[in-house]
């Protein structure tokens, strides 16, 4: 089996599901690895228990959480709060799969568009977002508190849910 075939076989084993409180320790590992200003346990706990706009999912491989994504669903707009993958699993296009699942979930819950902020220096993420239909819509000056870096604001339109065959929170959303 070639390396590409092995990656495709592994990709078929990816599972997407809603995040639970007991997932937070694994999420914090990803968070610390991915971000210079990681969210705290309390922040995730609050999102999952008190923020009725919040929707978070995890991506698992062989029963281990390797990535997660979150958004706030407000009126008909989804705002991506965070999306991250363990470093060992980057470069396989699985971040793209995770973003697709988040966008599918947003569509499923009735969102018409989706937005996010990304560091102006993060070309890799910007390229992924453009590939998934996001377009630049301005900047937020000094948005990131760790170094006062600007954020690029990006938006994408979402198709109506009927164009998808997915169910939010399904054990396996392939």
């Amino acid at each position: 089996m070639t390396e590409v075939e092995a990656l495709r076989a592994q990709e078929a084993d990816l599972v997407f599901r809603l995040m639970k409180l007991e997932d937070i320790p694994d999420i914090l590992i990803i968070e610390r690895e991915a971000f210079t200003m990681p969210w705290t346990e309390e922040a995730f706990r609050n999102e999952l228990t008190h923020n009725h706009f919040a929707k978070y999912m995890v991506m698992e491989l062989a029963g281990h959480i390797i990535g997660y994504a979150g958004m706030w669903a407000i009126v008909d707009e989804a705002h991506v709060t965070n999306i991250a993958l363990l470093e060992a699993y980057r470069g396989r296009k699985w971040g793209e799969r995770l973003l697709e699942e988040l966008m599918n979930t947003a569509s499923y819950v009735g969102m018409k568009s989706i937005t996010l902020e990304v560091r102006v220096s993060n070309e890799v993420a910007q390229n992924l977002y453009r590939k998934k239909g996001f377009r630049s819509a301005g900047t937020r000056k000094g948005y990131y508190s760790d170094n006062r870096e600007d954020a690029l604001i990006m938006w994408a339109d979402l198709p109506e849910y009927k164009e998808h065959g997915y169910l939010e929170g399904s054990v396996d959303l392939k």
Side-chain angles (χ1 to χ4, degrees):
M1 181 180 294
T2 69
E3 185 177 337
V4 171
E5 291 170 330
L7 285 175
R8 284 194 185 123
Q10 274 192 319
E11 184 174 349
D13 293 333
L14 292 176
V15 173
F16 300 87
R17 64 168 174 79
L18 294 179
M19 186 186 293
K20 301 181 280 194
L21 286 172
E22 51 267 25
D23 297 329
I24 293 174
D26 291 327
I27 299 306
L28 292 175
I29 292 168
I30 299 167
E31 186 75 3
R32 285 187 213 105
E33 193 178 278
F35 299 111
T36 57
M37 299 222 27
W39 282 19
T40 63
E41 178 179 348
E42 182 180 344
F44 281 104
R45 189 170 296 283
N46 185 58
E47 287 291 283
L48 294 177
T49 58
H50 298 302
N51 185 349
H52 65 277
F53 298 113
K55 304 240 179 258
Y56 285 82
M57 66 173 46
V58 299
M59 180 169 66
E60 291 181 324
L61 180 65
H64 299 287
I65 296 173
I66 63 167
Y68 79 97
M71 68 178 168
W72 295 338
I74 304 171
V75 186
D76 63 355
E77 297 175 354
H79 184 150
V80 177
T81 55
N82 32 28
I83 183 167
L85 198 60
L86 281 172
E87 190 172 355
Y89 296 95
R90 295 179 196 156
R92 304 176 188 203
K93 300 197 181 295
W94 290 359
E96 183 175 342
R97 282 286 312 280
L98 184 56
L99 180 59
E100 287 170 1
E101 293 298 332
L102 188 68
M103 292 173 76
N104 289 339
T105 299
S107 183
Y108 174 79
V109 298
M111 302 298 102
K112 305 287 184 224
S113 59
I114 188 165
T115 186
L116 54 80
E117 290 89 8
V118 59
R119 289 180 186 269
V120 294
S121 64
N122 193 343
E123 288 290 332
V124 171
Q126 289 175 39
N127 289 336
L128 167 62
Y129 300 142
R130 285 186 193 99
K131 182 177 180 183
K132 301 312 296 174
F134 284 81
R135 60 200 175 282
S136 301
T139 58
R140 295 195 196 282
K141 296 289 183 193
Y143 181 79
Y144 292 97
S145 58
D146 63 334
N147 64 358
R148 307 301 300 154
E149 184 175 356
D150 295 347
L152 181 63
I153 305 163
M154 300 184 83
W155 283 89
D157 296 321
L158 292 168
E160 288 188 34
Y161 177 71
K162 66 183 177 193
E163 295 179 28
H164 305 294
Y166 304 100
L167 296 175
E168 178 196 23
S170 171
V171 174
D172 190 355
L173 295 175
K174 289 183 221 144

